[in-house]
Every structure is written in C-alpha cells, then in structure tokens.
Amino acid sequence: MNPMRKLKVIFQAATQDTELNPTFEKFDETTSPNMRALRLSITIADVLISMGVSVADVVSMSLDITDRYCHRKVQFDISSTLITASQDRGNDREPLTVLRHATPRTTNNTTIQSIQELVRDIQHGKHELHVAEEILDSILVNPKHYPRWITVSGGGFISAGVGILLGASPIIISIMLIVGMIVSYILRYLGHKRVPSFFAQIISAMSITLIAAFVAWLGTSGNIVWLSNVNPTYIIIGGIVMLVAGIAIVGAVQDAIDEFYVTANARLLKAVMMTVGIVAGVLTGLYIAKQAGISIFVSPDLQPVESAIQILGAVLISAGYALSMQTRPLSILAAAGIGALGWNIYQLSLTIGDSALTPIVATALA
C-alpha cells in the first residue's frame, strides 16, 4: 500500500467517531456467549460502583450473572474504580480477562433498583442471555428519572427539615428551602460540567455562605423589615447538612467491614476531601463577605429545640435525600418513615429512664 494512503487510513481510523461511554454500547450477538456474559456483568458492576453501591454487593451480583451464563467460574476483583473479571479456561486455553474503569455518575436509585431486579431475575433463570442484554441496554439508555425541579426540591427539603429541627422561624425555613434548591441546582450543573467534587463542594459552600451574608445584610440595613431577626447560622447549617448528606459514608464503612480496604480507603478519602471542600467554601464565603463590609457570626452551638413538629423535620430530611437520589415513590415513603422512627428513638433515648443516655449513645441507637 502507498505510504501516504496508509497514513490516511490510520488517520481516519484514529479520528472516526467512537462511543465515549462503553456502558451504553450495543451488545453484539456475534460475540461468544461466554464473553457476552462477562461484558454484561462488568457493565453492571461499572454502573453500580460509580453510583456508590458497596463492593461486596456488586461482586455478589456480578457472580450471580456469571454463575448463570458461564460454564467456568469467574473471579471478580474491585479496587477503588478498577473492576477486573477473570476466567480460567483450563490448561489448553489462555485466561479471559476483562478490565473496566468505573466512570463517575449521578446516583439514580431507580436505576440501581432496576438493575438489582434484573440480576435477581437472572439468578432465578427467568431471562436468557440475549433478553438480559436487551433489558440492561433499555435501563441504561432510557433511565427512569424525575423532572429536574423535583430532584432539586429534594435538596430544599433537606435544608428546610434542618431548620424545623433547630426550631427556626417560618421565614428562615422558607429561605433555607430556597437556598437548598439553589445549591442543589448548582451541584447538578457542576456535575454535568465534570467539575471535581472537591471544587463543587467549595463553590456550593461558598454560595451558601454568601447568600446567608446577603440575607443578613438585608435585615440589618433596614431594607426589608421582616428579615431583621434572621440568623444566618440557620441558613449556613441547613446548606452544609445538605452537602454532607451526599457523602457516601455508609458504603465506605460497609466496604471496610467486608474487607475491601482499598475501595473503603478511597471512598473515605473522598468523603474527607469533600468535607474539607465544605470548610474551605464557608471560610472563603466569610472572607468575601467581610471584604464587602458584611460581618456575620456563625455559631456552632445551635441545638435542636424540643417540639412535636421536629418529627416533620426528620421526615423532610429523609424523604428529601431519597428524592434527590431519584428513588422510587414507595421507597421515598419508606425513607420518610425510617427518618421519623430514627428521630423518635433518639428522643426517647435521651428522656426515658432515671439516667438518660448521652447524645452520642442515643445517636448510635437511632
């Protein structure tokens, strides 16, 4: 072949459009069933790991798939975001190994639950391989989700619920609701633009602090009378709790208990970095407000005010977080009920008996 023609062919092959996200590739039935099963399992593992599901659960589901469709045993290993599936095919053939790097995704509990149901059906022998591939392709290409304004409202419910727990006035709770929705939208926008979580936390925490400072300035300047008694601490704490709620501590601890220490350390480090981002954002916001001539005081000593309406705050926080994570309606109701139950256990642990438990012990019981 002519050298120039060869270079032209190579250039065309290198620059042609390719599928950027291998998760959404079409499954080719000309590939061997064994390879298709491996690809099916590792694609599912990719999606679940990127959405924060514990490693032990992901490995278990992946093995359920390969045990159903593969004649030989497959070994799975997950280290942080690197997924490895390897199959020993005997002495006469080389091992078959597939690697996949889990790419970050926005958590969608509806997608997670749909995949879990698919794996359960595969385990029970309800689907042939080609049917399972088609179902997974449908789940990933056309994921079910709520309209954006509904999921953004979930963040607002978290902030408003914190305000109710702290005994804030209706005006402050309304402001906290709006701030929570604004910050939720900021997080979604930054996530869409692939901004690292650390910087997204800084920008969000800084925005919360600046909004709180602006509201406090409106009250002290006399421009808006009904904002004169607004405590900016409520607004900042409500926003911070909303940011902290997104840190997947539970998955990291579960990975550590299940002895997947590499992934547990990676997730815990991510949680630490996101927390540092919150602190940096608040400090940056306070500094900018001070330079603009607005001095606000943020008290870390606010405590929940005992009231019968506090249970509503717990319900709003739990349901709001579930809603922001694209959870199915029935599961949102379950989350709200669990939030109410947890708060009641916490309150009873502090009050029942001659020697009331400390808040730390009461929190552990809840």
Side-chain angles (χ1 to χ4, degrees), residues 121-175:
D121 290 342
I122 291 173
Q123 183 184 14
H124 293 160
K126 294 183 178 180
H127 298 311
E128 296 296 328
L129 178 57
H130 71 279
V131 176
E133 290 174 335
E134 292 173 357
I135 294 175
L136 177 63
D137 192 59
S138 176
I139 292 173
L140 299 182
V141 175
N142 301 301
K144 295 180 180 179
H145 55 81
Y146 295 112
R148 181 174 300 178
W149 67 270
I150 292 182
T151 55
V152 165
S153 298
F157 292 155
I158 296 174
S159 297
V162 173
I164 295 174
L165 286 181
L166 297 176
S169 65
I171 293 177
I172 296 179
I173 293 174
S174 300
I175 295 174

Side-chain angles (χ1 to χ4, degrees), residues 53-82:
V53 180
S54 68
V55 174
D57 291 338
V58 175
V59 170
S60 176
M61 283 186 278
S62 299
L63 290 176
D64 287 339
I65 296 171
T66 55
D67 288 346
R68 173 71 177 82
Y69 296 129
C70 297
H71 295 297
R72 291 182 179 271
K73 190 72 174 177
V74 177
Q75 302 296 326
F76 269 90
D77 182 58
I78 299 176
S79 297
S80 186
T81 58
L82 181 63

Side-chain angles (χ1 to χ4, degrees), residues 233-351:
T233 300
Y234 289 106
I235 301 174
I236 294 176
I237 290 179
I240 288 176
V241 169
M242 190 206 70
L243 295 178
V244 172
I247 300 177
I249 296 293
V250 175
V253 173
Q254 185 173 347
D255 288 338
I257 293 173
D258 294 330
E259 300 184 358
F260 290 94
Y261 298 119
V262 174
T263 307
N265 284 330
R267 288 181 170 179
L268 285 173
L269 180 59
K270 180 180 179 180
V272 170
M273 291 300 296
M274 292 176 71
T275 303
V276 172
I278 294 174
V279 175
V282 171
L283 293 177
T284 303
L286 291 174
Y287 177 78
I288 294 175
K290 185 177 180 180
Q291 294 300 310
I294 306 173
S295 297
I296 60 174
F297 175 73
V298 180
S299 172
D301 299 325
L302 288 180
Q303 297 294 331
V305 179
E306 293 188 11
S307 171
I309 201 175
Q310 281 183 314
I311 192 172
L312 175 60
V315 167
L316 279 178
I317 293 173
S318 301
Y321 180 68
L323 182 61
S324 66
M325 293 293 105
Q326 304 276 1
T327 308
R328 293 179 179 178
L330 185 60
S331 298
I332 293 175
L333 293 177
I338 292 172
L341 177 63
W343 183 255
N344 282 327
I345 292 175
Y346 174 79
Q347 290 289 76
L348 290 174
S349 300
L350 292 176
T351 56

Side-chain angles (χ1 to χ4, degrees), residues 346 349-350 357-366:
Y346 174 79
S349 300
L350 292 176
L357 299 176
T358 63
I360 294 178
V361 178
T363 300
L365 289 175

